[in-house]
Amino acid sequence: MARTSFDVCIIGAGAAGSVIAAHLANTNLNVVMLDAGPHRDPEKDFASDELEMEKLFWDEPRVSAGQDPLDLHRSTSGKGVGGSAVHYTAQLLRFDKSDFRTKTTEDIGEDWPISYEDVLPYYDYMTKRLSLSGPNRFPWKTFGDHFPYPAHHDLSNNTLKFREGLEKIGMNHAVSPLAILSAPLEDRHPCINRGFCEEGCMPDAKTTPLNTFIPEALKGGVTLLPEATVTSLATDQSKRVKTVHYKLDGQIHEIEAKIVVLAAYAIETPRLLLHSRNADFPEGLANSSGLVGKYLMTNTNDHIIAKFPEEIRMYRGNPVQALSMDPYLSGQENGFKRGFILNSYGMRPVRLASLFLENDETCIGENMRMRMLDYNHFTSFAMLGEVIAQASNQVALTDQLDENRVPIPKVTFSYHENDVLIREHAKETLKSIAIAAGGEPLYHLRAHAHLMGGCRMGDDPQSSVVNSYGQSHDIENLFIVGAPTFVTAPSANPTLTIYSLAKRSAEYIETFSKRMG
C-alpha cells in the first residue's frame, strides 16, 4: 500500500463498517478499511462443517467474569471481513417504536436520542438493499413490511411443529423475514435449505457484507486491508484522532486519517478506546463521561429441547424459519417489563452438544452419547429476550497483554432481575408450545446471543459517549458505529438496525467531511 494518508480510516469490516465504506466509496474521499481477519471467499473458504467453520469466530483471549459470565466466542463475535454478519442466522427485524422509549413507556432503561421514525427511511432502504424475503402479510408490520422477495417455505419439521404448537395455543406465527435469497439475484442462487447458515453459507444465498457492501466498496476504490490488527489510536495537538497504528505481517504500520470510524463491535471498540489513553485523554479516548465500556448488553437466547415419537431432523432448512412476535411487549401483563420473541431454531449436532455441556457439566461421555442418540427426534424452540442495561456490565482492561502487546479485555456481566423473569416466563411458553405440538419437553438450555452497548449514544456528553450519528462528544473526527452505540437491547435481532444506523451515520460523515474541507 503506497498511500499512508487517507481522508477516512474505517476500523472493522463487519455490518456497520462495510456500509460506511460502501457509501463513502461513492464520494470523492480516499477511504481505507482494516479488519483483523482474512477476506474469505464463501465458495472456496467455507465448508458444511461445524468444527471447520469455527474459524469465523473471534478466538483472541478474553476474560469473562461476573455472576453470569458470557460466552465471548461463538454467537457474540466474528473475525474476518464481514464480521459476525457472515455467520448470523439472517433473521432481520426492525425494532419496535417502544424500543426507543423504554424509560418513557415502561420506566426502565433509558430513551434513545432518536425515534423509530428517524430510522424508518433506513429500514426501508436496507429491506430492499439486502433483498429481504418475507410474507406478503406479516402480522407485525412495525417489525417489517414490503419485502422484495417472497417468503421461504417452512420445509423443516422443526418449524412445522413449532407453528403447530403456536396455532394450538392461540398465538400468531409467520415465516421469518430473512436476508436469504428465495429467488435468483444476478449471479447468486436461491437458498437450497442445507441448514448451515451459522457456518457461513457456502452457496452464498445468504446476504452478508461479503456479497453486498464489501464488493461495492472495493469497486468504488476503497482500500481494504485484511488481517490488519489495529493496536492503538493517537491524537494530535488539536486533540483530534490522527494516527491509526496496526499490525500486518508481523510489522507495525501507521495510517494518518482526517476521520476515523471505529466499527469493531462491542468488546474491541471500548478496548481500543481505553488502551489508547494519553496525556490529553487519561481515561481513554472519547471517555470524559466515564462510560466507555459500560452498559454492555446481550440477548437471552434460551432453548427448549423436546422429544417427538417421529423423526424431526431439525438440521434441515434455515435455523430460524418461523417466529412469533406476540410476546414482544407481554411483560406488563405478566409481572415484568418489556418481553421476548419466539423462534423455531434448528441446531446442528455439535452446537446442541456444546449447549448440553454448558448447561450440565455431568453431560459428558456416556451421558452425552445417550442424549445425542435422540438427536433426530428432537425439536428446538427458542426465545430471544430483552436484557436491561446496567452500568456494572462492562468491558475493562486487564494487566495481561496479548501477542500485540494490547491489554486483554475483561468482560463483567450479571443479569438484571427483569431478565430472569423474562427467561422464566419464556421457558413456560416454549414448553407449552412443544406439548401442544405433541412433544415432550426435556431440556431447558440457557444461552445468549449478540452484544450491544459499551459506547452508548445520547444528547448529553455526561451520560453518553457519542451522538445519534456515532460522533464522539469529545473528539469530533472520531466516529463509533454499530452495536456499541445501542442504548437498549430489544428482543428483535439487532443486525437490521446496525445496518440502518450505519447508513444514517455514513450520510452524516459525508456531510461532516465537507465541512472539514
Side-chain angles (χ1 to χ4, degrees):
M1 183 183 65
R3 176 186 289 274
T4 58
S5 180
F6 290 83
D7 295 316
V8 181
C9 177
I10 302 169
I11 302 167
S18 64
V19 169
I20 304 284
H23 180 90
L24 297 182
N26 296 310
T27 68
N28 294 322
L29 298 170
N30 293 310
V31 181
V32 62
M33 179 164 57
L34 300 85
D35 197 275
H39 186 186
R40 299 183 177 95
D41 181 336
E43 293 187 3
K44 296 178 180 178
D45 300 321
F46 292 176
S48 299
D49 185 310
E50 290 184 79
L51 294 179
E52 167 66 19
M53 295 315 295
E54 287 191 356
K55 65 188 179 184
L56 296 178
F57 310 145
W58 189 275
D59 58 358
E60 302 298 326
R62 292 166 170 175
V63 177
S64 189
Q67 295 181 11
D68 304 289
L70 297 176
D71 170 14
L72 300 174
H73 176 57
R74 183 185 173 87
S75 65
T76 54
S77 65
K79 189 171 185 180
V81 174
S84 57
V86 171
H87 62 79
Y88 69 161
T89 63
Q91 177 172 270
L92 294 190
L93 297 166
R94 305 177 186 196
F95 286 173
D96 184 61
K97 293 181 180 181
S98 67
D99 291 327
F100 299 92
R101 294 288 181 268
T102 64
K103 181 68 174 177
T104 298
T105 59
E106 296 193 46
D107 194 28
I108 198 164
E110 295 293 338
D111 290 347
W112 294 52
I114 53 176
S115 67
Y116 178 90
E117 287 71 24
D118 291 323
V119 190
L120 182 57
Y122 302 97
Y123 280 149
D124 290 340
Y125 171 83
M126 284 297 168
T127 296
K128 297 176 182 177
R129 181 68 182 85
L130 297 167
S131 306
L132 294 196
S133 64
N136 288 332
R137 297 180 180 177
F138 194 54
W140 311 276
K141 291 190 179 298
T142 300
F143 299 96
D145 200 9
H146 296 103
F147 304 109
Y149 275 68
H152 286 266
H153 296 292
D154 46 358
L155 300 173
S156 160
N157 287 332
N158 189 65
T159 299
L160 295 175
K161 289 294 185 184
F162 175 71
R163 299 189 73 177
E164 178 185 344
L166 286 167
E167 184 72 24
K168 287 182 176 179
I169 66 172
M171 295 182 71
N172 293 302
H173 52 89
V175 175
S176 299
L178 299 171
I180 300 175
L181 294 181
S182 57
L185 174 64
E186 297 176 351
D187 60 345
R188 293 173 56 208
H189 300 289
C191 177
I192 55 175
N193 288 294
R194 295 166 59 260
F196 284 88
C197 304
E198 294 180 281
E199 286 72 40
C201 189
M202 184 170 64
D204 211 26
K206 185 172 70 173
T207 302
T208 76
L210 290 177
N211 51 36
T212 50
F213 304 110
I214 297 296
E216 182 180 343
L218 295 177
K219 184 178 179 180
V222 171
T223 300
L224 174 64
L225 295 180
E227 300 186 83
T229 301
V230 175
T231 56
S232 65
L233 307 176
T235 56
D236 60 16
Q237 293 181 345
S238 64
K239 298 183 180 181
R240 289 184 171 186
V241 173
K242 182 180 181 181
T243 308
V244 175
H245 302 273
Y246 67 97
K247 190 174 183 179
L248 177 64
D249 296 330
Q251 302 294 319
I252 296 296
H253 305 268
E254 293 183 358
I255 286 174
E256 291 190 355
K258 297 178 181 178
I259 297 172
V260 173
V261 180
L262 190 47
Y265 208 34
I267 296 179
E268 297 307 307
T269 292
R271 178 193 187 194
L272 186 58
L273 293 171
L274 294 171
H275 172 57
S276 299
R277 62 184 182 271
N278 57 37
D280 289 323
F281 301 97
E283 302 302 318
L285 301 187
N287 197 27
S288 65
S289 64
L291 295 181
V292 168
K294 302 291 182 64
Y295 294 105
L296 185 74
M297 301 170 287
T298 187
N299 290 123
T300 46
N301 189 207
D302 300 351
H303 300 248
I304 285 290
I305 306 301
K307 183 179 177 181
F308 283 75
E310 66 270 39
E311 283 195 348
I312 300 298
R313 296 185 180 270
M314 65 173 167
Y315 55 83
R316 291 173 172 167
N318 175 269
V320 291
Q321 285 187 336
L323 83 169
S324 177
M325 308 294 293
D326 280 4
Y328 201 85
L329 296 174
S330 60
Q332 293 187 10
E333 58 195 53
N334 291 291
F336 53 88
K337 305 290 180 71
R338 310 301 297 158
F340 56 97
I341 69 173
L342 300 169
N343 273 115
S344 59
Y345 203 124
M347 285 189 285
R348 267 108 299 272
V350 174
R351 177 55 176 158
L352 178 60
S354 69
L355 280 182
F356 276 147
L357 182 58
E358 289 171 19
N359 280 266
D360 181 1
E361 61 184 15
T362 68
C363 188
I364 56 175
E366 183 64 12
N367 288 342
M368 177 69 81
R369 188 183 79 86
M370 292 302 295
R371 281 197 195 184
M372 293 303 295
L373 285 175
D374 289 326
Y375 173 78
N376 284 340
H377 290 263
F378 285 154
T379 58
S380 174
F381 304 156
M383 57 82 77
L384 195 66
E386 181 155 348
V387 166
I388 304 304
Q390 303 177 83
S392 56
N393 291 335
Q394 62 178 306
V395 179
L397 302 181
T398 67
D399 294 330
Q400 299 173 278
L401 302 181
D402 67 8
E403 63 180 1
N404 299 314
R405 302 198 61 76
V406 177
I408 292 171
K410 178 181 179 180
V411 178
T412 303
F413 191 87
S414 303
Y415 284 112
H416 188 278
E417 60 181 355
N418 194 73
D419 308 336
V420 176
L421 292 173
I422 287 176
R423 296 185 101 154
E424 287 303 308
H425 187 77
K427 178 179 73 172
E428 296 307 314
T429 304
L430 290 168
K431 287 169 63 175
S432 68
I433 295 168
I435 292 170
E440 178 188 3
L442 295 179
Y443 310 107
H444 176 229
L445 303 181
R446 291 178 173 83
H448 67 93
H450 317 126
L451 286 176
M452 295 152 279
C455 294
R456 57 166 39 183
M457 66 169 71
D459 294 326
D460 185 354
Q462 294 185 342
S463 59
S464 60
V465 177
V466 298
N467 65 19
S468 69
Y469 298 99
Q471 184 178 29
S472 163
H473 292 306
D474 299 346
I475 305 172
E476 67 171 355
N477 72 328
L478 173 63
F479 288 80
I480 301 166
V481 296
T485 68
F486 281 25
V487 180
T488 59
S491 52
N493 306 62
T495 311
L496 182 59
T497 301
I498 292 172
Y499 279 130
S500 300
L501 290 180
K503 180 66 174 178
R504 182 174 182 268
S505 293
E507 293 177 351
Y508 182 87
I509 291 169
E510 179 185 2
T511 301
F512 175 75
S513 70
K514 294 176 181 178
R515 293 204 304 266
M516 287 188 68

